[in-house]
Amino acid sequence: MLDKRSQWNNDYNEQGYFVIRDFFSDVEISSLRKVILKFHELWKQDNTAFYEEVAFNSSLITGSKYLASNDRVTLFNFISSKKIMNIVDTVIATKPAFMNTQLFFNPVNPQLKDFWHRDCQYDHDVDVQKKVIHETQVLHLRVPLFDELGMELVPGTHKRWDNEEEFNIRQEEKGRASNEDLPAGKKIPLTAGDLLVFSADMIHRGLYGLDRLALDILVFDSAGDFVDYVDDDCLPDASMLKKIDDPRLFTNTLYLKSLT
Ligand SMILES: O=C(O)CCC(=O)C(=O)O
């Protein structure tokens, strides 16, 4: 019988994801929700047209634009908490590094439909995508703040290329649309308190509906070439680092930045 960490690691390697039910307490989620809602309200006011017309997420939540230093420290301590680091260390054994955060919500515009993608498709053309899915991938840790329909994933696609139907749908080729159903799609409904860990490069989509508001924490292996994706303003400064119990997720990123 495998222990929990080996089981999570096996699931991640084989399927590209795992989910832990009731991972966070009500107290942990309500204090996180308070900070995130503050960000979300200010972000919406500042991005009204974008929010109403095309948005389904925001990013840079830990940055200085909308949150004061004490709230940012709360977020940094949540992101690098013992609980989360235990999971991160399970999947990325050496020098995991913080990349960014994103906040996913329901689009206001009803024409926007939940769409299949691999995150790498926005940075690379198809030939390169075929290569990068066999290299180090970015880890998403999804923390739903309210109950949601969750994510739909195609298990195993973090390590294999698309079949013809998956490719045509994801890339909207041959008259197919990226919101069509995929036969191998596995729906993972989530409730507040659950944690979903998945590979950014597997074929996936968020499922719109209910009151979804989910914080995604993005982490990478220091061995991967991802440091250019990190915005300096989303990292803690020297005075904040002193207030973070275990800052290595951030100091690993700061070290990589210092080399560039
Ligand atoms: O929830 C969504 O709308 C999409 C989520 C997603 O694509 C991601 O976390 O990379």
Side-chain angles (χ1 to χ4, degrees):
M1 171 93 173
L2 292 174
D3 66 20
K4 272 189 190 168
R5 293 187 69 186
S6 311
Q7 186 65 57
W8 294 331
N9 201 271
N10 271 15
D11 288 350
Y12 185 77
N13 286 328
E14 282 167 23
Q15 309 291 318
Y17 77 95
F18 56 93
V19 59
I20 310 179
R21 303 288 174 193
D22 295 324
F23 187 64
F24 300 106
S25 68
D26 290 349
V27 173
E28 286 166 329
I29 290 299
S30 60
S31 93
L32 178 66
R33 203 187 275 139
K34 214 163 114 193
V35 178
I36 295 295
L37 283 173
K38 211 182 276 182
F39 172 93
H40 192 45
E41 290 312 313
L42 294 169
W43 181 89
K44 282 193 292 187
Q45 281 170 28
D46 206 23
N47 295 276
T48 313
F50 178 62
Y51 174 61
E52 286 173 1
E53 287 158 26
V54 289
F56 56 90
N57 74 338
S58 57
S59 62
L60 313 175
I61 326 298
T62 61
S64 63
K65 192 161 182 195
Y66 302 110
L67 291 180
S69 169
N70 61 327
D71 284 329
R72 294 177 65 205
V73 169
T74 301
L75 275 186
F76 289 131
N77 269 313
F78 177 81
I79 291 166
S80 61
S81 61
K82 271 205 175 67
K83 266 187 170 176
I84 292 193
M85 289 310 292
N86 183 37
I87 302 300
V88 168
D89 290 335
T90 301
V91 182
I92 303 176
T94 50
K95 299 210 181 315
F98 174 78
M99 177 185 277
N100 196 359
T101 45
Q102 296 174 317
L103 191 59
F104 289 92
F105 44 80
N106 290 320
V108 175
N109 180 348
Q111 282 170 332
L112 298 179
K113 304 290 180 209
D114 21 30
F115 60 99
W116 293 105
H117 62 282
R118 299 180 186 264
D119 283 9
C120 61
Q121 77 188 60
Y122 304 109
D123 292 316
H124 302 298
D125 64 24
V126 168
D127 286 347
V128 181
Q129 288 174 37
K130 280 184 186 166
K131 264 197 256 148
V132 296
I133 62 164
H134 298 293
E135 294 167 6
T136 315
Q137 297 179 11
V138 173
L139 194 68
H140 272 241
L141 294 104
R142 167 159 293 211
V143 182
L145 298 171
F146 297 98
D147 298 354
E148 59 173 52
L149 300 180
M151 298 282 303
E152 192 170 5
L153 310 166
V154 182
T157 51
H158 63 311
K159 288 207 172 146
R160 72 153 174 89
W161 189 240
D162 312 40
N163 65 31
E164 199 182 345
E165 183 176 38
E166 288 162 354
F167 182 80
N168 290 337
I169 288 180
R170 173 171 75 84
Q171 296 275 139
E172 304 215 301
E173 300 276 350
K174 306 208 170 121
R176 306 299 297 263
S178 59
N179 67 315
E180 287 182 46
D181 285 340
L182 281 177
K186 189 166 163 57
K187 292 193 169 93
I188 320 277
L190 296 169
T191 55
D194 293 347
L195 174 70
L196 170 68
V197 179
F198 66 99
S199 160
D201 282 341
M202 72 189 304
I203 302 177
H204 64 277
R205 64 171 166 176
L207 297 172
Y208 304 161
L210 301 182
D211 292 323
R212 83 173 191 143
L213 190 65
L215 176 70
D216 271 32
I217 302 163
L218 283 62
V219 175
F220 65 101
D221 184 326
S222 288
D225 187 15
F226 294 108
V227 72
D228 289 349
Y229 292 83
V230 183
D231 186 317
D232 289 339
D233 182 56
C234 290
L235 293 168
D237 61 24
S239 72
M240 291 172 177
L241 279 174
K242 290 193 196 127
K243 298 179 190 157
I244 301 173
D245 302 329
D246 176 7
R248 67 197 155 91
L249 199 61
F250 309 107
T251 51
N252 287 341
T253 307
L254 287 162
Y255 174 71
L256 293 172
K257 285 235 159 216
S258 73
L259 303 177
T260 59

